[in-house]
Amino acid sequence: MSIGAWAVVRFLHVTGAVVWVGGQLALTLVVLPLARRLLSAAARDRFAAAAGRRFGLLTAALFLPLQLATGWAMAWHKGVTWASLADPGYGRTLAAKLALFAVVMLAAAGHGFAYARGRVVLARVLALGSLAGSLGVVLLAACLPVT
């Protein structure tokens, strides 16, 4: 693949992260607070459930496959192996990013299950944990040298 093609792969990976983290921030800081203020409790619950389902569907159908495919491709291009993830510097930083990404995805999935079962407090804790973890993934990504 040419250098330009790898730039496209990296662009798609970064764009996927922007959509995921930006979506979380927009929902948390803009959309849901307005829904709480402007909608009745029943309408707010329906809206939040519908928004969550749509965001979850887009995550499963678009974001997650895009991140996994482009992330794997960049790691392959860089020559990353399972063993190299233990190496100081790039390897350990990437390993931390991957581990935190897995935790974030589990927290996001747990949020959906908790919300669907009416466990609102647990759902909120998992949502905030997922958001904080997502920001951590972005921070770790920023610490990686360009591939």
Side-chain angles (χ1 to χ4, degrees):
M1 233 193 262
S2 70
I3 292 173
W6 286 112
V8 171
V9 170
R10 194 177 316 103
F11 172 79
L12 291 171
H13 192 76
V14 170
T15 300
V18 166
V19 170
W20 167 252
V21 178
Q24 287 180 302
L25 286 168
L27 284 170
T28 301
L29 299 175
V30 178
V31 175
L32 294 178
L34 284 173
R36 278 187 213 102
R37 190 169 353 128
L38 299 175
L39 300 175
S40 68
R44 178 186 64 235
D45 289 345
R46 284 192 315 276
F47 175 80
R53 274 193 303 277
R54 170 156 279 172
F55 195 69
L57 178 64
L58 290 172
T59 295
L62 297 174
F63 165 74
L64 194 54
L66 177 69
Q67 292 310 102
L68 294 175
T70 56
W72 177 84
M74 289 187 304
W76 173 81
H77 178 66
K78 176 99 173 129
V80 173
T81 64
W82 288 110
S84 70
L85 292 175
D87 293 344
Y90 188 92
R92 288 186 191 163
T93 303
L94 181 59
K97 177 187 172 213
L98 294 171
L100 186 54
F101 180 75
V103 169
V104 164
M105 290 295 108
L106 289 172
H111 162 75
F113 287 120
Y115 189 84
R117 285 161 182 72
R119 311 246 349 244
V120 178
V121 173
L122 177 59
R124 186 168 288 175
V125 167
L126 289 169
L128 292 174
S130 177
L131 175 57
S134 294
L135 293 171
V137 169
V138 171
L139 175 63
L140 288 167
C143 293
L144 291 170
V146 175
T147 57

